[in-house]
Amino acid sequence: MNSRIRRISVLVDEPEQGLFFWVLMEEGGEAPLWLEIESAAQGYDTWLDALQAGTRALIEYAFDERIGPRKLGGDEDAAPV
């Protein structure tokens, strides 16, 4: 079974001053396009609180913390797009 690491990033958005939301984005397709895969349901009072919560959400995508979040299929030896 081949798998490759998923390219997921955490970003923090501030739609209104002083209200911060984490957003998980994943690189999708062959073009360098980032798609939202999950976001905070409620805002946070500080940027750091939102970032830490987003990081915890990202960790949940890793079934094994030693190898990170994986996508099944694909060629592990293939060059990254």
Side-chain angles (χ1 to χ4, degrees), residues 28-80:
E30 294 185 21
L33 175 68
W34 289 84
L35 305 169
E36 182 177 319
I37 58 172
E38 188 177 354
S39 62
Q42 296 180 299
Y44 294 83
D45 293 333
T46 70
W47 174 87
L48 183 57
D49 287 341
L51 178 65
Q52 290 173 333
T55 301
R56 286 190 299 273
L58 172 56
I59 290 169
E60 293 297 317
Y61 280 80
F63 297 110
D64 183 337
E65 64 186 26
R66 296 170 296 161
I67 61 171
R70 295 284 165 160
K71 182 172 279 190
L72 296 179
D75 183 358
E76 288 185 40
D77 297 324

Side-chain angles (χ1 to χ4, degrees), residues 7-55:
R7 292 181 175 184
I8 302 173
S9 69
V10 179
L11 65 88
V12 175
D13 191 20
E14 186 183 21
E16 61 181 72
Q17 189 169 359
L19 186 61
F20 302 91
F21 290 82
W22 57 263
V23 181
L24 297 183
M25 305 287 288
E26 182 170 18
E27 187 177 43
E30 294 185 21
L33 175 68
W34 289 84
L35 305 169
E36 182 177 319
I37 58 172
E38 188 177 354
S39 62
Q42 296 180 299
Y44 294 83
D45 293 333
T46 70
W47 174 87
L48 183 57
D49 287 341
L51 178 65
Q52 290 173 333
T55 301

